[in-house]
Amino acid sequence: MPQRPTPLLTVTADQLVAVDFAPRRPQGPEAADPNADRPQGHREADPNPSRPKGRGERRDHPQRTRTRRRTRTPTPSGARKRTRTPHHTRTPSYRHLFRISGTRAFTLGALLSRLPMGMFSVSAILMIAPARDSYALAGAVVATGLAATALVAPLTARLVDRHGQARVAVPATALALLGGLSLIACVHWNAPAWALFASYAATATAPNTGGMARARWAHLLKDDPAALHTANSFEQAADELCFMVGPVIAAFLCTSLFPEAGTLFGGLVCLTGVLVFAAQRATEPPPSGRTVARSPVRAPGVPSLLAVFLAMGAVFGSLEVVTVAHADARGDASAAGLILGLQAAGSCAAGLAFGAIRVTRSADRRFPLCLAAMAALMTLPWLTASSTGSLLPLAPALLVAGMATAPTMVTAMSLIQERTPEGQLNEGMTLAVTGLLGGIAGGSALGGWMVDHGPGPATTGFAVPAAAATLALALSLTVSKRRPAVFRPPH
């Protein structure tokens, strides 16, 4: 065994110094380990190997920890490094939308309140025309109501933005219901004609529930553009469904029960739907309060979009008139409603399908493509009516032509949402609906003139919807070139 070194002792002037060259033992737990300073072959066996080892005490078999070694592949200089970014491969389904708390209830209320919007015009005509023996008077009253709606609806929407949906929508709907009841009384007791105009104009205070529903979706899904696209597609399909089923219900009630039944039933259902809708306060967007901001009609990009909405409204208004005239000329005017219902059904189905797919282009780039599809498909009814002259092939032609309507409207409403300033979303979307109403009125007049006085055969009237869609396409190209300001993330 090696000799232990002897300590070295030395004496200085007034001190004794001792130097020990022996190796030091470790302090703490290692001091209790007799094998700490011994070579590997001369260590003593542990008399109790099962006892747990202390911290710092040597173990016979050191523990191994599994660690994953990260290796990096060297990249050549100048090469771009690939970074993994989240990639959404699936578009949120409609089931995903209605898992959000409160969405089912406010959607039910919005559907109930929107259904009468497709009933009021037909109900008023079927109530006034037989009582006064004048379709001209009935049409004038309805036209006056549409004009009043175009003026009043943006003001109502501005109040909704400032004070909240529930505080404004309920009293505005109640006032509209009073106008409908007044119209029923005036027709029943043979009031002067001016009373009919005034009563029906009072129904213009009814709020734009479709716009308020879209505003709720925009508030709930502001951080999820893909889900918002699906929600907007659903709302457009709901609009098409209401305008497809509403006239049928109105005609059934007015002809089967009594002439006033359609107006009365529609007003009560509208008020019930608004009450259900307004009760869902958890999903309501917060009111913006009083603001000095200008109207959305002056926002960058909105006026040119409203011009496109006017042209699209002319498509719908002229198509309805010339289809009815074409069916009447063939001696089957009752089939016009069914044929136009197929056009709305095609639009509804296309809207649901459009919301289920994942869109990769922004709404600004999709808009001209959708309008180009609409312009191309609107030539089908014209070609079919001109070549065959029969109603049977016109029905599938309108079904296919309607499939471009919902995707175009969804994209247009997405652009309105993007370009409308914060706190004015209801007013912005109501202005879009006002543009559509103005276009419908102008398109109906132009389509009727083409049927009665246009050059060539009566089927030339089907050229008006195709021309209006082409005009909308040309206007949209000027909109896309200007690159207006965007207030929300692109959809």
Side-chain angles (χ1 to χ4, degrees):
M1 292 189 59
Q3 296 291 332
R4 182 180 181 85
T6 303
L8 175 63
L9 303 176
T10 181
V11 179
T12 62
D14 57 352
Q15 292 181 351
L16 175 63
V17 179
V19 182
D20 189 2
F21 294 98
R24 298 288 183 183
R25 289 186 177 273
Q27 300 294 327
E30 292 186 0
D33 187 5
N35 297 320
D37 298 330
R38 299 189 180 185
Q40 184 72 23
H42 299 279
R43 296 184 177 180
E44 297 179 1
D46 191 352
N48 187 12
S50 61
R51 69 179 180 84
K53 303 294 184 180
R55 184 175 182 182
E57 190 175 352
R58 295 186 179 182
R59 293 171 171 80
D60 296 334
H61 299 284
Q63 293 181 347
R64 296 181 180 180
T65 58
R66 296 183 178 180
T67 57
R68 179 176 295 178
R69 297 182 62 186
R70 299 180 61 182
T71 59
R72 295 182 179 179
T73 304
T75 57
S77 60
R80 296 182 60 183
K81 296 182 179 180
R82 297 180 62 183
T83 57
R84 298 184 64 184
T85 57
H87 181 68
H88 302 284
T89 58
R90 297 182 60 187
T91 299
S93 63
Y94 294 103
R95 183 182 302 177
H96 169 75
L97 292 180
F98 296 111
R99 286 176 181 172
I100 303 174
S101 177
T103 55
R104 295 183 181 180
F106 88 71
T107 299
L108 175 61
L111 286 174
L112 287 176
S113 60
R114 268 185 288 185
L115 179 63
M117 298 306 170
M119 299 176 56
F120 285 143
S121 297
V122 176
S123 299
I125 291 175
L126 293 177
M127 178 176 60
I128 297 173
R132 300 299 177 94
D133 194 22
S134 174
Y135 277 94
L137 177 62
V141 170
V142 172
T144 302
L146 290 176
T149 301
L151 295 175
V152 176
L155 301 178
T156 305
R158 183 179 300 178
L159 293 176
V160 169
D161 285 326
R162 288 183 178 181
H163 304 290
Q165 296 180 353
R167 291 185 60 185
V168 177
V170 174
T173 307
L175 183 59
L177 177 60
L178 291 178
L181 295 176
S182 175
L183 179 65
I184 293 175
C186 290
V187 172
H188 184 75
W189 281 291
N190 199 20
W194 64 264
L196 303 181
F197 287 94
S199 298
Y200 198 72
T203 62
T205 60
N208 178 20
T209 318
M212 291 193 295
R214 288 178 174 90
R216 293 202 179 204
W217 287 118
H219 171 66
L220 295 173
L221 306 172
K222 56 186 176 182
D223 297 326
D224 194 348
L228 184 56
H229 163 74
T230 304
N232 284 333
S233 300
F234 171 80
E235 292 298 330
Q236 184 60 39
D239 285 343
E240 299 294 340
L241 180 64
C242 291
F243 282 100
M244 179 176 60
V245 177
V248 177
I249 297 177
F252 172 77
L253 292 175
C254 293
T255 56
S256 300
L257 300 180
F258 49 91
E260 297 85 0
T263 302
L264 181 61
F265 176 80
L268 294 177
V269 171
C270 183
L271 180 61
T272 303
V274 169
L275 289 174
V276 174
F277 182 84
Q280 313 309 313
R281 304 298 293 268
T283 56
E284 180 180 352
S288 61
R290 288 190 173 271
T291 177
V292 295
R294 299 180 301 177
S295 172
V297 74
R298 299 182 180 181
V302 172
S304 52
L305 266 179
L306 294 181
V308 179
F309 274 99
L310 277 171
M312 290 193 298
V315 175
F316 308 142
S318 60
L319 183 65
E320 181 176 354
V321 171
V322 298
T323 301
V324 173
H326 182 68
D328 190 26
R330 297 299 178 272
D332 196 0
S334 60
L338 178 60
I339 295 175
L340 290 172
L342 288 176
Q343 189 263 347
S347 178
C348 180
L352 293 175
F354 187 62
I357 64 174
R358 178 175 174 266
V359 293
T360 56
R361 294 175 179 265
S362 63
D364 194 29
R365 294 185 177 183
R366 293 198 313 266
F367 196 37
L369 298 178
C370 292
L371 285 171
M374 175 183 282
L377 292 179
M378 280 299 163
T379 61
L380 293 179
W382 183 19
L383 295 175
T384 303
S386 301
S387 59
T388 64
S390 174
L391 293 179
L392 187 60
L394 181 62
L398 283 174
L399 176 68
V400 175
M403 292 182 178
T405 302
T408 305
M409 287 296 301
V410 170
T411 307
M413 283 298 183
S414 298
L415 287 175
I416 286 290
Q417 291 176 3
E418 292 175 9
R419 297 175 185 180
T420 302
E422 291 287 344
Q424 297 177 296
L425 190 55
N426 285 290
E427 185 177 357
M429 288 188 290
T430 303
L431 286 171
V433 175
T434 301
L436 282 175
L437 292 177
I440 289 173
S444 300
L446 183 58
W449 185 88
M450 284 292 293
V451 169
D452 291 338
H453 309 289
T459 55
T460 310
F462 282 100
V464 177
T470 305
L471 176 61
L473 173 61
L475 292 173
S476 71
L477 294 177
T478 61
V479 171
S480 61
K481 288 181 179 179
R482 294 180 181 178
R483 298 182 179 273
V486 175
F487 293 94
R488 288 174 181 80
H491 297 172

